[in-house]
Amino acid sequence: MFFKRLRADIAAAERNDPAARNKFEILLTYPGVKALSMHRVANKLSRMRLKLLARMVSQFCRFLTGIEIHPAAKISAGVFIDHGHGVVIGETAEVGTGTVLYQGCTLGGTGKQTGKRHPTVGENCVISAGAKILGNITIGDYAKIGAGAVVLTDVPPYATAVGVPARVVRINGKKTGEQSEDL
């Protein structure tokens, strides 16, 4: 199972990064692939209730890659973290297959409440550089979140959200009524 997911992560890097030259180079040099692989180990340890060991693996991964993923986060195979430095994925976050996360994005919580408090990101989404998705919200399949956006409410499938706070400006490629003319 581990190697099947690793192959899916490498394939996602090949598919999404035009600079990717071969699988071997991706395996050895892509911090997103390394972080996801180490996360899968930490996640397994977390599910085995070896919480301290899981956090130690997670923190070692953060030291090596600059990508912080909580051991309990649920990340599907085939996710691509591009230029991952500064990416933060919280404890109850979920990320669907085919999603691309760029540098500095955060899937975080908004306070100290318990239970589900981090976002659920659907399949084949794009979370651009510096975007912050905060709280127990859902990002629908095929949604795009613009660079630097701060998302505090649900984003429907096939939508594009931009701004602070983020607002949906396109759905299925068509402009919404809330959008200004300069976009």
Side-chain angles (χ1 to χ4, degrees):
M1 187 64 123
F2 176 83
F3 291 106
K4 184 177 180 180
R5 289 181 176 202
L6 178 60
R7 281 192 297 274
D9 294 339
I10 291 171
E14 277 185 310
R15 187 172 51 253
N16 290 292
D17 188 355
R21 294 187 303 193
N22 61 62
K23 290 175 174 64
F24 189 64
E25 178 184 46
I26 292 168
L27 178 64
L28 292 179
T29 65
Y30 277 52
V33 172
K34 291 176 187 174
L36 290 169
S37 296
M38 292 180 80
H39 166 70
R40 298 196 201 302
V41 172
N43 183 261
K44 176 77 170 176
L45 293 168
S46 179
R47 287 184 283 121
M48 293 170 59
R49 299 189 188 280
L50 298 170
K51 305 287 187 189
L52 177 60
L53 189 55
R55 286 303 294 255
M56 291 171 67
V57 169
S58 171
Q59 293 303 300
F60 181 67
C61 175
R62 184 178 99 172
F63 171 76
L64 289 179
T65 66
I67 299 169
E68 182 171 348
I69 306 173
H70 192 283
K74 296 177 183 171
I75 302 176
S76 299
V79 168
F80 178 49
I81 301 174
D82 194 13
H83 302 289
H85 198 81
V87 169
V88 177
I89 302 175
E91 179 180 18
T92 61
E94 299 175 36
V95 182
T97 301
T99 291
V100 178
L101 304 168
Y102 287 96
Q103 69 272 12
C105 70
T106 299
L107 307 180
T110 57
K112 294 187 177 199
Q113 66 271 30
T114 59
K116 177 81 167 118
R117 62 190 184 283
H118 297 93
T120 298
V121 178
E123 295 185 354
N124 300 299
C125 295
V126 175
I127 312 300
S128 298
K132 309 300 177 205
I133 304 173
L134 304 174
N136 181 13
I137 61 174
T138 300
I139 307 301
D141 295 345
Y142 296 91
K144 296 177 184 173
I145 308 300
V150 177
V151 184
L152 302 171
T153 59
D154 291 349
V155 174
Y158 297 93
T160 301
V162 298
V164 180
R167 66 194 186 294
V168 174
V169 295
R170 293 184 187 272
I171 298 177
N172 287 322
K174 296 183 175 126
K175 293 179 182 179
T176 63
E178 299 175 22
Q179 180 176 333
S180 66
E181 292 301 316
D182 60 335
L183 294 175

